[in-house]
Amino acid sequence: MTEGVPRRQSTLDEVAELAGVSRSVASRVLNNAPHVSRAKREAVERAVHRLGYVPNPTARALATRQTGAAALVVSGEDPSIFADPFFAQVIVGASAALEDADLHLMLCLAASDRGRRRVEQLLRSKGADGVMLMALREDDPLSRMAEEAEMPVVFGGRPVGLDPRWYVDVDNVGGARQATEHLISAGRTRVATIAGRLDTEVGRARYRGYRDAMLAAGLDPYPPEVGDFTESTGAAAMAALLARHPDLDGVFAANDNMGAGALRTLREAGRPVPGDVAVVGFDDLAVARIADPPLTTVHQPIEALGREMARMLVALIGGQDPTPLILPTRLVTRASA
């Protein structure tokens, strides 16, 4: 009775369900995208064979279209974040590398639920050829979106709790350790730290570097006073440290903005720098050079961070499989320590 009745064409959703993967992963496999694990790729291929699935050529053409743009997505709460000297340098580096590849740079801020929904739509609709993600916090929904994205994703800095396949980072632990060792080698034994947000990997990594150096020198690490990488929170954290540990003689601030804030508080408190308290920052931003006194800091190649993120993304878009990259840091000594 059923002879001559055409067999119903299997769907992409059925392929994904049988393979035990998301629809987006199944789509990436069928479009020969490089950013899929071998296990998932093989599971999808088995499901395709078993179901006899044949991709719709029109839909496939749409799925593989290129937009000529790459997006830099930053997870943050303040729209002015792109004016921060750190992100400004990242943008310069990324833009230069993308220009070489004839790709336009799109800037996206996921600062609210609405902003995150726009980013999610960008990822699902393939509104760009690839995405660079930065400033992710612990349990950030952007991490899940990146996992399900139907396009290449490169992380700027490693997110908390994830082990992404493609990322560019700097040696945050090593740089923080070197900063703290510099203070210790100058005879400072009561060294505190102003840590960055501890729901970010950069905040945790720089605290680990401080703690490792203190323990290696036989000194007790101070509990971190936490700021959010801004000058005002650095000033407030320094005031809290002075109230709690008035005899401290050294401070490692996890970025230059907070280091500048710490210098302001110490000056207002009548604590000479470096005579009474030595201070070291991290980043080597312009604020470190114009601080009073000029701030000893850890230089990280910020523009290179943006450039290498973009180069890695371009390689992925081109079908290559680049390896993660850790950029080196170095100490820059000035008058504060």
Side-chain angles (χ1 to χ4, degrees), residues 54-300:
V54 178
N56 181 300
T58 301
R60 186 165 188 170
L62 289 172
T64 57
R65 76 190 189 280
Q66 291 193 334
T67 66
L72 174 63
V73 178
V74 177
S75 179
E77 298 172 353
D78 185 355
S80 67
I81 193 169
F82 285 120
D84 183 287
F86 175 87
F87 286 104
Q89 290 187 49
V90 169
I91 291 169
V92 168
S95 180
L98 292 176
E99 185 175 351
D100 290 341
D102 291 325
L103 289 171
H104 297 293
L105 176 62
M106 301 167 54
L107 301 179
C108 304
L109 179 65
S112 63
D113 289 341
R114 183 179 180 184
R116 282 187 286 273
R117 285 195 297 271
R118 285 199 298 267
V119 172
E120 187 169 17
Q121 178 63 26
L122 170 74
L123 294 170
R124 288 182 172 177
S125 66
K126 299 189 71 174
D129 295 332
V131 169
M132 297 166 282
L133 280 182
M134 295 195 71
L136 297 186
R137 298 175 183 170
E138 189 172 18
D139 299 323
D140 195 313
L142 287 182
S143 299
R144 173 188 56 78
M145 297 180 197
E147 287 284 306
E148 299 175 356
E150 296 190 27
M151 64 180 71
V153 176
V154 172
F155 288 84
R158 284 162 288 186
V160 176
L162 290 181
D163 185 22
R165 186 169 177 182
W166 297 288
Y167 63 84
V168 181
D169 205 351
V170 300
D171 185 9
N172 289 301
V173 173
R177 184 170 55 241
Q178 187 177 22
T180 309
E181 289 171 347
H182 177 74
L183 289 165
I184 295 170
S185 67
R188 312 293 170 148
T189 58
R190 299 179 298 279
V191 181
T193 183
I194 300 174
R197 295 184 59 124
L198 296 179
D199 60 352
T200 64
E201 180 57 29
V202 63
R204 294 184 182 187
R206 292 180 187 178
Y207 176 68
R208 286 198 302 272
Y210 156 80
R211 188 173 182 276
D212 289 349
M214 292 291 284
L215 292 174
L219 301 173
D220 291 330
Y222 285 57
E225 194 65 42
V226 178
D228 67 358
F229 299 108
T230 61
E231 192 270 351
S232 60
T233 60
M238 188 70 249
L241 285 173
L242 288 176
R244 193 171 297 118
H245 311 288
D247 63 340
L248 63 80
D249 60 8
V251 174
F252 164 58
N255 85 331
D256 290 341
N257 292 330
M258 296 193 297
L263 291 177
R264 174 164 63 87
T265 295
L266 288 166
R267 185 168 56 251
E268 293 171 353
R271 302 289 294 269
V273 177
D276 194 11
V277 181
V279 181
V280 178
F282 200 117
D283 284 342
D284 198 18
L285 299 175
V287 68
R289 295 189 290 275
I290 65 175
D292 182 21
L295 185 64
T296 292
T297 187
V298 175
H299 174 86
Q300 64 161 320

